[in-house]
Amino acid sequence: MSDWTAYYAATAAGGPRDTLLRALELWSEPPGAALDLGCGTGRDTLALLERGWQVLATDAEDEALRELRQRVPAALGTRLHTCQARFETLVLERHDLVNASFSLPFCSPEHFPALWARITAATRLGGLFCGQLLGTRDSWAGRGVTVVDPTELAELLCDWEVLHHREEEEEGHTAVGKPKHWHIHHLVLRRPARLSQPGTTLDSLGP
């Protein structure tokens, strides 16, 4: 049993994240190919499958992927692919939508810039990203997770069109009930049809 077991048990019954639902509302094309980074037991993956998307669900924990596959109805299973990998080793292909609900902070700070570049490269022009980043006043800052200050966040967003950004800061609890101060950036982003920097191509941004 991994350290994530209690988290999986606490969140398994939850519905899809609001940022994913907002992204799906903004999506005007037929369902395409989605990437769910740090999918856990699949609360967002299931929502995507139910809406007709092809989904590649990734997580570092085999336990999470096993439970996800058990939860997916057989009729939807043909559109699900899973991949067990840590963020720093994950190879990303092109997708129409990249979802990362509360997972990116668990990429180590030294590997996060390269991961973000790969996410940017993996989102096709006109495609969407939705997910969360933690701010510097979060109580997990300094504990090996990735947090961003306003300047860093602006740099991360320079290749994106911001469709939704809600900054949230409050006292609360983790999914397993531990007290915590949250400082969260909730994001829905679009890759613009034209890149802002002359000479920059999607291929030049990463694999």
Side-chain angles (χ1 to χ4, degrees):
M1 303 287 281
S2 76
D3 293 339
W4 288 92
T5 301
Y7 174 81
Y8 298 148
T11 59
R17 301 288 187 179
D18 289 343
T19 42
L20 174 62
L21 294 177
R22 185 178 289 263
L24 292 173
E25 289 174 359
L26 293 169
W27 186 257
S28 59
E29 302 177 24
L35 173 64
D36 194 2
L37 292 171
C39 63
T41 57
R43 58 193 294 179
D44 289 341
T45 296
L46 285 167
L48 287 162
L49 292 170
E50 290 166 354
R51 289 161 174 79
W53 288 76
Q54 299 279 342
V55 183
L56 173 60
T58 78
D59 203 279
E61 301 294 330
D62 182 62
E63 176 187 0
L65 296 177
R66 287 199 309 269
E67 185 167 340
L68 166 61
R69 289 189 290 265
Q70 292 171 359
R71 296 179 66 191
V72 173
L76 305 180
T78 57
R79 288 189 277 104
L80 172 67
H81 299 277
T82 60
C83 175
Q84 182 185 3
R86 297 182 60 83
F87 282 136
E88 56 265 30
T89 63
L90 191 61
V91 177
L92 304 182
E93 299 180 356
R94 299 297 176 87
H95 287 81
D96 301 297
L97 184 150
V98 177
N99 179 67
S101 292
F102 288 93
S103 62
L104 295 185
F106 295 100
C107 178
S108 60
E110 63 267 30
H111 293 293
F112 179 75
L115 173 63
W116 186 257
R118 297 202 304 276
I119 290 172
T120 301
T123 309
R124 62 112 162 144
L125 298 183
L128 301 181
F129 168 87
C130 50
Q132 286 75 24
L133 294 171
L134 295 183
T136 53
R137 295 187 297 277
D138 194 275
S139 61
W140 284 345
R143 298 185 182 182
V145 303
T146 290
V147 299
V148 295
D149 63 27
T151 299
E152 291 166 336
L153 181 61
E155 291 175 352
L156 293 175
L157 301 183
C158 67
D159 290 313
W160 298 85
E161 176 188 358
V162 179
L163 304 180
H164 169 74
H165 175 203
R166 180 170 67 88
E167 184 174 3
E168 177 183 9
E169 187 168 359
E170 65 177 4
E171 298 297 331
H173 295 82
T174 68
V176 296
K178 295 182 179 180
K180 184 182 185 312
H181 182 81
W182 290 100
H183 183 197
I184 311 168
H185 296 281
H186 301 275
L187 300 166
V188 180
L189 314 173
R190 177 187 285 134
R191 289 285 283 140
R194 294 184 179 181
L195 298 172
S196 59
Q197 297 180 356
T200 300
T201 67
L202 189 61
D203 288 333
S204 73
L205 295 173

